[in-house]
Amino acid sequence: MNGMNDKDGADGADITVDIAVVGAGAAGLSLAHRLAGTPGPHGAAPSVALVEAPGEPGSGTRTPPRTWCFWEAGEGPYEQAVRASWDRLRVRCPDGRTAEARLGPLRYKMIRSPDFAELVERRLARLPRLHRPAATVDRVLDHPAGGAVVHGTDASGSPVRVRARWAFDSRPPRRLPAARSTLLQHFRGWFVRCAADSFDPSAVELMDFRTPQPAHGLSFGYVLPLGRREALVEYTEFSAAPLRREEYERALRHYTAEVLGLGGMTVLDTEQGVIPMTDAVFPRRAGRCVFRIGTAGGATRPATGYTFAAVQRQSDAVADAWRRGRVPVPPPAHAARHRAMDAVVLRALAAGRLSGARFFGELFLRNPADRLLRFLDGRSRWWEEVAIGLSTPVPPMLRSAVELPVLRRRDAVLPRP
């Protein structure tokens, strides 16, 4: 496949490159950005085709903005896109008790997808071996002669074909793999501006469980202050199905008015989403030369929904494999023992054995914040994980752990809000 570099039209393909990346969301942009500037074992950076569907960054059509948050020490590669960051967090229990902690060397950072895309787009624009075909992709397959082929259609309906040595597909799954437990983290948020000072700009309200709890699952408020008078305020549920829009709006009105006591408030913008929380096994390889990344490649943490940091770890690992001349299969985004612990938590929540609000509240009350953050980031040590486990309700967790091996995995469909 050495003859693929920058040779357009080979074997009938519209574009022939070293690497094709399908999708220009967080996973696709992150990987294209890392790969396009990474020299291989012979010194040359790969030629990369970033295949964007109409409506994605760079295609000229606006897509709904998203907010991504993660923990990081010091300045990271996307610091210019960080909209806000905080060195303290709070978790509020249903009974009003509050766990508050400083994050030490870490900061909780917020990036908005338009800012992230603009930053990465500026960097990609300087790379001469990057192609940007616009196409709605319907198939990504191994080629019989080696490599992979991306099949799609452009805005006029004409076929588009990209031939590559390796292909990475970041399209979100329409159907989740079979799982023993599946919940959805679904939310709606308001960007608000208040007439008077209403927020503490140094602290994130990570989970505020002073919301009415659903019969099955849990709910909480989430506040990212952008100043003393502005914030992103979200209502979030972990449950089996999303709500109707009017139900989210009613919950947000209750949370902002009755719980936070915000008055003179203007809603500037909104965002909404659904994140799968499942113990399903997401295959990271879809063929000899085809790989999945992002949520489709298992980057979403099963028990929390955090994805952005795992996407960066996978992108770094793929770029390193390219540099060394190895097969660039994305590594597991989360350690096996962490996925096992998350599976127990999900089973206990899905079976109704745990009060989710009490469980997460007590978890933050009984453990140092830095220990929990290391665990959520996948950097905790085994003895820290034992301590975290012992701070949880043992009987329901033990029962859930014992029954997991005999539970049947079932298909689940990912609904849209």
Side-chain angles (χ1 to χ4, degrees):
M1 302 295 290
N2 292 333
M4 279 193 173
N5 298 2
D6 290 313
K7 181 184 174 186
D8 291 358
D11 195 25
D14 298 299
I15 298 171
T16 303
V17 292
D18 289 312
I19 294 171
V21 179
V22 178
L29 281 174
S30 297
L31 183 59
H33 171 245
R34 290 290 287 110
L35 283 171
T38 299
H42 303 296
S47 54
V48 177
L50 179 59
V51 187
E52 305 168 273
E56 289 188 316
S59 63
T61 306
R62 183 179 181 271
T63 56
R66 302 174 181 87
T67 298
W68 301 315
C69 291
F70 57 99
W71 292 277
E72 189 172 53
E75 293 193 355
Y78 305 112
E79 200 67 27
Q80 295 175 46
V82 172
R83 178 73 63 92
S85 66
W86 304 269
D87 63 3
R88 289 190 300 137
L89 61 81
R90 298 190 190 99
V91 173
R92 299 185 186 270
C93 299
D95 59 10
R97 290 179 297 162
T98 301
E100 182 171 335
R102 291 196 174 274
L103 304 184
L106 298 176
R107 292 188 71 85
Y108 190 67
K109 298 184 179 183
M110 166 188 175
I111 287 181
R112 293 281 285 159
S113 58
D115 301 328
F116 175 78
E118 181 182 358
L119 173 63
V120 175
E121 293 281 350
R122 288 201 307 268
R123 294 174 178 175
L124 291 176
R126 300 195 294 265
L127 301 173
R129 306 188 73 197
L130 180 74
H131 302 265
R132 303 294 295 269
T136 300
V137 173
D138 56 73
R139 290 172 297 158
V140 185
L141 304 170
D142 284 325
H143 192 280
V149 184
V150 177
H151 297 267
T153 54
D154 63 18
S156 68
S158 299
V160 173
R161 221 159 58 106
V162 178
R163 177 91 183 273
R165 184 181 305 178
W166 310 105
F168 296 86
D169 191 351
S170 72
R171 292 175 298 167
R174 286 286 181 177
R175 178 171 291 277
L176 298 173
R180 295 163 297 190
S181 303
T182 298
L183 292 174
L184 299 177
Q185 180 180 159
H186 51 98
F187 58 89
R188 184 170 175 84
W190 287 347
F191 286 87
V192 302
R193 178 183 294 142
C194 298
D197 291 354
S198 305
F199 304 105
D200 176 1
S202 69
V204 170
E205 300 284 345
L206 189 68
M207 289 179 165
D208 186 347
F209 292 109
R210 297 174 297 170
T211 52
Q213 296 299 309
H216 299 284
L218 63 99
S219 74
F220 58 89
Y222 177 52
V223 182
L224 299 177
L226 305 175
R228 295 193 177 278
R229 300 190 178 190
E230 294 188 359
L232 169 59
V233 182
E234 290 187 352
Y235 173 81
T236 300
E237 279 196 14
F238 293 2
S239 60
L243 305 178
R244 297 188 301 274
R245 176 174 175 174
E246 57 267 25
E247 293 175 299
Y248 289 116
E249 294 287 303
R250 184 164 58 246
L252 278 166
R253 286 194 297 269
H254 174 270
Y255 182 60
T256 53
E258 302 300 325
V259 178
L260 298 181
L262 302 182
M265 180 188 73
T266 302
V267 178
L268 305 175
D269 203 355
T270 63
E271 72 171 24
Q272 188 165 327
V274 177
I275 301 170
M277 303 173 65
T278 171
D279 68 352
V281 178
F282 288 81
R284 290 164 286 115
R285 196 162 195 164
R288 295 189 312 276
C289 301
V290 180
F291 310 105
R292 293 190 176 99
I293 56 173
T295 295
T300 299
R301 183 72 188 262
T304 65
Y306 283 104
T307 305
F308 189 81
V311 161
Q312 305 313 313
R313 290 195 296 270
Q314 284 189 326
S315 297
D316 289 344
V318 169
D320 185 64
W322 167 263
R323 181 186 298 111
R324 296 170 183 268
R326 298 174 178 172
V327 177
V329 58
H334 308 286
R337 68 181 190 276
H338 294 156
R339 298 197 304 272
M341 294 175 74
D342 286 0
V344 174
V345 173
L346 283 177
R347 180 58 190 167
L349 289 173
R353 297 187 186 119
L354 284 179
S355 163
R358 188 176 303 116
F359 170 77
F360 283 106
E362 293 290 337
L363 203 62
F364 278 88
L365 285 170
R366 296 181 181 182
N367 291 276
D370 58 344
R371 176 187 297 167
L372 280 177
L373 295 184
R374 281 194 295 273
F375 173 68
L376 295 176
D377 231 10
R379 297 182 295 108
S380 53
R381 302 175 182 89
W382 68 266
W383 59 266
E384 293 179 306
E385 293 155 15
V386 170
I388 291 171
L390 292 175
S391 70
T392 65
V394 174
M397 300 295 278
L398 183 59
R399 180 181 172 186
S400 299
V402 168
E403 74 177 6
L404 276 175
V406 299
L407 288 177
R408 178 185 173 188
R409 292 185 179 270
R410 301 177 182 275
D411 290 336
V413 177
L414 179 59
R416 301 299 177 189

